[in-house]
Amino acid sequence: MQNWFQDALVRPSLPARARRAAAAREDERAAAEHVKPSASLAPIERVAIYADAHYARLLGVLQEDYAALRVLAGEAGFDRIARGYLADHPPRAFTLSLLGDALPDWIAAQRSLARRALLADVARLERAMTVVFDAPRESVLSPGDLAALPPETWVDPKPRLIGALELLAFGHRANAIVRATRHGEALPELGRARTHTLVWRKDHVVWRQDLEPAAYAVLAQLKAGASLAVAVSAAERAPDARNLEARVASWFSSWAQDGLFAEIRA
Amino acid sequence: MNRTPRFDWPALGVGIGLRTVHYARVLADRPPVDWFEVITENYLATGGRPLHVLEQVAAHYPVVFHGVSLSIGSTDPLDRGYLAQVKELARQIGPRWISDHVCWTGVAGRNVHDLLPMPYTEEALRHVVARIRQVQDVLERPIALENPSSYVEFRSSQMSEAEFIARMAEEADCALLLDVNNVFVSGRNHGFDPYVYVDTLPADRVVQFHVAGHTDKGTFLLDSHTGTARTEVWDLLRHALERTGPRAVLYEWDEDIPELDVVHAEALRARELLERCAPRVKRVAV
């Protein structure tokens, strides 16, 4: 009985009238077999109350988690994306924060979807914001903590970045698009552009910042566990790698202020 | 009728649900709400702001956990990982009690994120009772279960919902959260007398009440948790409180949520009812 009821309510949602018109005689027969009619509703209409609420609830979660994607795709486009995605990825976890976890990859795989690379980039950024929002807590080094570290720490420092941090490289201006939609501003140029964005959490607030390619390269290396020296060396291959020593010193100071470091090991 | 509570849990007074839109107000002003109920799942699997807010709130108010994912009626195995997280959060926060619903939320590994009604059969009763005992063993505390609102009744049911829940509570030795709006909504949708329903439940096992607004959709009532509760719902609460004596009362408002003071003012309509059924309910020290 539970399998039947669940199948009935997770089918693509259509108004009860349309369901009937769409040759849903088998649905009606099954509903009548399991469910009593009420004084005013047939069994299939009572089941449809759950079916309609089911899709609306999940759509609402995706709309909230992917607000910029919704603006970019338009209401009808977002609805098509949501229906297709939910058909392939029905919710299994108790937490709704995981409902859209595979949406960026799903979009990227939809060959028939117009502007899918752009939509996937924006979805990746919005997903990263959710991941960072929910990331586990951990202690963060303050600038004062860094100043108190023993001198030997700085011979070959190995900084460990906080867990509530995501680094993303895009083929479009994803962060500018998200910013514009959040502020109700006109969308920026939607054409291809190589951009890099840092998403992190500080004091329970999720922040986003566009990065220069070399800064992205340094942080990506640190996130992978490299020492600062190795990270800077790797950044020398970045297209904007010039005067790196001074720039890294400046970045490092900013990153410390922004609470990006959980630990500095010698 | 037995007015002596089966569980030694405090009456708490009149509370409201802790909702995101009220976080800043609660933290900044500490409004004189007796207690807060929180949706358990909103604070699991996150280390972000919600958990930080909950810790602050729990430091100043009694808090009760209200879950929506226990799925006590499902034929899928209990989610032990979920239970472990609830237990750990309870260890951190110290809720006065933990509640969920008499329902199922999915089967075959899916979670539909809805509180689905059960067939009220002898088989389902044995199934649910055994699972409640398992949950209480894992959590190492009794739980309270809430009567659902529903829009379907199954032909296979062998007893009324109230009879099912009454027997469930006695046989599993659990507490009950009585949602009088749900009783009213389901009563209208299924054509039963809500007063008979309330009178069927063991009063001594009721530890908490829910009150809420609902929406008349013409052919059925929708448990929308929006707006003010109808007079008939408050009347049903009065009747229930006369049977149980003072218990914690919680007002739910989850759609088109207004300012906290508006929600609290509606909740405080319960204060008079509580005072009528017992001496003034004192705020419980944290």
Side-chain angles (χ1 to χ4, degrees):
Chain A
M1 195 288 296
Q2 289 186 333
N3 282 305
W4 162 77
F5 193 51
Q6 179 169 278
D7 287 347
L9 69 90
V10 301
R11 282 188 198 121
S13 177
L14 294 172
R17 195 171 301 167
R19 288 171 63 93
R20 288 201 299 274
R25 291 194 184 284
E26 177 55 26
D27 288 356
E28 288 189 18
R29 187 203 60 75
E33 180 184 328
H34 292 288
V35 173
K36 298 177 185 176
S38 74
S40 51
L41 291 173
I44 189 70
E45 292 172 316
R46 305 185 89 183
V47 174
I49 296 170
Y50 288 94
D52 294 343
H54 172 70
Y55 178 68
R57 181 178 303 106
L58 300 184
L59 178 64
V61 172
L62 292 177
Q63 287 174 336
E64 190 172 328
D65 285 354
Y66 292 99
L69 176 66
R70 182 185 178 189
V71 171
L72 207 55
E75 287 300 326
F78 189 85
D79 187 69
R80 281 194 297 275
I81 289 171
R83 286 181 190 280
Y85 171 71
L86 291 171
D88 289 349
H89 295 272
R92 296 187 178 278
F94 69 81
T95 171
L96 281 166
S97 65
L98 292 178
L99 179 66
D101 63 347
L103 184 59
D105 289 343
W106 185 89
I107 290 173
Q110 303 308 302
R111 295 189 175 184
S112 61
L113 184 62
R115 303 189 300 173
R116 76 175 194 274
L118 170 65
L119 297 176
D121 270 358
V122 171
R124 284 174 55 221
L125 177 52
E126 295 197 288
R127 180 62 200 158
M129 292 159 63
T130 300
V131 168
V132 166
F133 180 85
D134 285 327
R137 285 190 283 198
E138 64 186 324
S139 58
V140 176
L141 293 180
S142 68
D145 294 331
L146 290 172
L149 289 172
E152 58 268 28
T153 306
W154 299 103
V155 175
D156 183 21
K158 298 177 181 63
R160 182 170 64 82
L161 300 181
I162 58 172
L165 180 152
E166 294 285 325
L167 286 162
L168 302 112
F170 299 115
H172 302 82
R173 297 173 180 81
N175 191 29
I177 292 168
V178 168
R179 186 187 306 121
T181 59
R182 290 197 150 205
H183 295 162
E185 298 167 352
L187 291 174
E189 170 61 43
L190 299 180
R192 295 195 68 83
R194 192 72 177 158
T195 63
H196 303 83
T197 302
L198 166 67
V199 183
W200 81 104
R201 190 178 73 208
K202 183 186 181 191
D203 298 334
H204 312 293
V205 177
V206 175
W207 300 87
R208 305 185 311 279
Q209 182 184 11
D210 282 333
L211 294 172
E212 298 169 61
Y216 172 85
V218 172
L219 283 174
Q221 286 291 318
L222 295 182
K223 190 172 171 63
S227 68
L228 184 59
V230 170
V232 172
S233 175
E236 287 171 355
R237 293 192 291 274
D240 61 338
R242 63 186 182 287
N243 194 21
L244 266 184
E245 192 171 327
R247 291 164 75 202
V248 167
S250 172
W251 293 335
F252 199 89
S253 175
S254 295
W255 296 337
Q257 292 283 347
D258 289 335
L260 301 194
F261 300 117
E263 184 184 15
I264 309 274
R265 286 169 291 144
Chain B
M1 184 187 311
N2 184 352
R3 289 170 62 104
T4 305
R6 183 70 64 113
F7 300 91
D8 185 23
W9 297 356
L12 293 183
V14 180
I16 63 175
L18 182 65
R19 300 296 179 258
T20 309
V21 293
H22 297 150
Y23 279 177
R25 173 76 204 292
V26 173
L27 295 185
D29 300 339
R30 288 190 206 158
V33 177
D34 290 346
W35 61 285
F36 284 100
E37 183 185 78
V38 303
I39 302 299
T40 316
E41 288 75 6
N42 290 350
Y43 305 93
L44 299 176
T46 180
R49 183 171 178 248
L51 186 58
H52 171 71
V53 171
L54 178 57
E55 288 171 337
Q56 304 302 306
V57 171
H60 299 288
Y61 297 92
V63 164
V64 165
F65 284 2
H66 187 50
V68 293
S69 301
L70 182 58
S71 200
I72 200 71
S74 174
T75 50
D76 275 5
L78 284 168
D79 186 340
R80 298 279 175 168
Y82 167 77
L83 287 174
Q85 290 189 54
V86 172
K87 187 174 183 179
E88 173 56 22
L89 186 68
R91 188 192 62 75
Q92 293 176 45
I93 302 298
R96 297 310 168 104
W97 57 84
I98 297 171
S99 65
D100 207 289
H101 301 80
V102 183
C103 73
W104 58 286
T105 61
V107 71
R110 291 180 71 152
N111 190 324
V112 299
H113 294 282
D114 199 351
L115 308 174
L116 304 175
M118 300 179 55
Y120 299 120
T121 64
E122 294 289 345
E123 180 186 17
L125 181 63
R126 288 194 298 275
H127 179 69
V128 167
V129 165
R131 283 161 70 94
I132 294 171
R133 288 181 179 146
Q134 289 178 54
V135 170
Q136 294 183 146
D137 284 347
V138 171
L139 297 180
E140 299 182 284
R141 57 163 74 200
I143 60 170
L145 287 173
E146 175 183 347
N147 57 296
S149 59
S150 64
Y151 311 102
V152 300
E153 284 181 298
F154 294 108
R155 291 190 186 280
S156 55
S157 287
Q158 297 166 322
M159 64 192 90
S160 72
E161 180 177 291
E163 290 167 333
F164 182 93
I165 291 176
R167 287 182 57 188
M168 174 200 80
E170 296 291 354
E171 293 176 30
D173 195 17
C174 70
L176 294 176
L177 192 177
L178 177 50
D179 187 319
V180 288
N181 182 58
N182 286 355
V183 176
F184 186 84
V185 164
S186 294
R188 180 69 66 83
N189 290 342
H190 306 318
F192 65 71
D193 183 339
Y195 285 83
V196 171
Y197 186 109
V198 168
D199 291 348
T200 302
L201 298 181
D204 60 327
R205 291 188 178 275
V206 175
V207 294
Q208 181 190 338
F209 289 98
H210 272 173
V211 189
H214 59 256
T215 303
D216 190 338
K217 305 293 278 187
T219 52
F220 67 98
L221 296 186
L222 180 69
D223 179 28
S224 56
H225 290 191
T226 187
T228 57
R230 286 175 55 155
T231 301
E232 296 98 316
V233 173
W234 287 112
D235 289 344
L236 191 58
L237 175 65
R238 177 185 294 111
H239 174 77
L241 280 169
E242 285 169 355
R243 295 187 72 245
T244 63
R247 299 288 192 271
V249 179
L250 188 287
Y251 196 86
E252 297 181 294
W253 199 322
D254 292 307
E255 279 193 21
D256 303 321
I257 304 174
E259 294 293 319
L260 182 140
D261 292 340
V262 176
V263 179
H264 192 212
E266 180 67 6
L268 287 176
R269 292 177 66 182
R271 178 80 78 204
E272 180 190 351
L273 304 182
L274 281 171
E275 288 175 348
R276 276 189 200 172
C277 73
R280 180 172 177 77
V281 178
K282 294 178 182 175
R283 290 190 64 174
V284 176
V286 175

